[in-house]
Amino acid sequence: MKPGLDNPFAPRDHGHFVTITPRVRLWRSIVNSTLFVGERGCALVDTQVNHALARRLLAAIAREVGKPLLYVINTHYHWDHTNGNPVFQAAGATLVASRRTARAMVERAPRQKAFLSGLRTPSPRSIPSSTWEG
């Protein structure tokens, strides 16, 4: 196994990249995000639990990769994977998700807001506009 991935249940130092391959990096945090590095720029899978961690991740991408973040891909609607969307959208990334995920982000937002009571959940402008059926 790769260093840092040998025991997924071990205590971790939150907020750093683990290189999987030269083009794939895992951001180890409360919720993991995966960065794919391409020729023109990067694509990020999942955006962290809050804006502070999202800003930390965005700074690390700029510092360590030095390529623009072109896309953010939301795997599902849960707040802990989408709450950083506004940070990356403001930085110019296109938000991408399945139509089902984008719909769930809107339809289930009131339930998530009630559950979280006080935490910021994604606003409607942070819902992916680039979607696919599936």
Side-chain angles (χ1 to χ4, degrees):
M1 289 196 113
K2 297 271 184 193
L5 298 177
D6 46 343
N7 181 356
F9 303 105
R12 359 178 167 161
D13 175 27
H14 294 294
H16 69 279
F17 276 118
V18 174
T19 300
I20 307 301
T21 73
R23 290 181 174 249
V24 179
R25 296 179 187 201
L26 177 66
W27 178 257
R28 299 288 288 184
S29 192
I30 297 166
V31 172
N32 295 326
S33 296
T34 306
L35 184 72
F36 295 92
V37 181
E39 295 299 321
R40 294 182 308 116
C42 303
L44 180 70
V45 177
D46 292 333
T47 62
Q48 294 299 299
V49 301
N50 59 38
H51 292 194
L53 287 173
R55 284 190 294 273
R56 188 173 175 187
L57 172 53
L58 184 61
I61 292 169
R63 181 179 62 251
E64 297 184 27
V65 180
K67 291 188 177 191
L69 182 61
L70 303 175
Y71 301 99
V72 161
I73 303 161
N74 293 139
T75 58
H76 61 290
Y77 75 94
H78 291 165
W79 65 274
D80 58 331
H81 293 261
T82 61
N83 227 5
N85 280 5
V87 171
F88 296 100
Q89 187 176 42
T94 299
L95 304 179
V96 180
S98 70
R99 284 191 190 113
R100 182 178 182 177
T101 294
R103 247 188 338 265
M105 289 172 71
V106 172
E107 293 168 358
R108 298 181 182 180
R111 184 177 78 181
Q112 288 194 84
K113 220 172 220 179
F115 172 75
L116 299 170
S117 64
L119 291 180
R120 294 176 64 176
T121 55
S123 64
R125 70 180 182 280
S126 300
I127 305 300
S129 58
S130 182
T131 61
W132 72 91
E133 194 63 47

